[in-house]
Amino acid sequence: MAVEPPTRFAFDWDAHWSVEFILEPLDGRTTRVTLRHAGWDDDHVSPTGQSHAVIRQIMEGGWRRKLTEDLQRAVLGPSTT
């Protein structure tokens, strides 16, 4: 695990993957969040019996939702619309 407040947080996930979040202030109100999920080997089969290629597709949708919907809700609160 690596923590570099307030710009970086990284950790190993399972035996094969690492995840890194990089926060880059753009102005006084906006921050760019970059996510790197590394360690993919399309030929590797996980203990669940799925290839890394299949798992990557599943996680891509999950990360997208986490970074667009869930993070926004956590920061701004629930939508009133």
Side-chain angles (χ1 to χ4, degrees):
M1 181 183 304
V3 179
E4 297 172 19
T7 59
R8 182 174 175 268
F9 173 70
F11 59 93
D12 292 333
W13 185 2
D14 199 11
H16 300 280
W17 298 307
S18 62
V19 177
E20 178 181 35
F21 295 91
I22 300 170
L23 305 175
E24 178 186 354
L26 299 178
D27 58 38
R29 297 179 41 131
T30 307
T31 301
R32 175 181 291 136
V33 178
T34 301
L35 166 68
R36 292 187 182 131
H37 188 161
W40 299 104
D41 177 356
D42 287 348
D43 295 327
H44 183 79
V45 175
S46 77
T48 65
Q50 295 174 306
S51 71
H52 275 199
V54 169
I55 294 171
R56 183 176 53 233
Q57 288 180 328
I58 294 167
M59 288 194 174
E60 182 179 318
W63 283 126
R64 182 171 286 119
R65 187 186 77 247
K66 290 294 182 192
L67 291 174
T68 57
E69 298 171 18
D70 296 348
L71 181 60
Q72 181 175 338
R73 190 172 25 261
V75 172
L76 301 177
S79 174
T80 58
T81 58

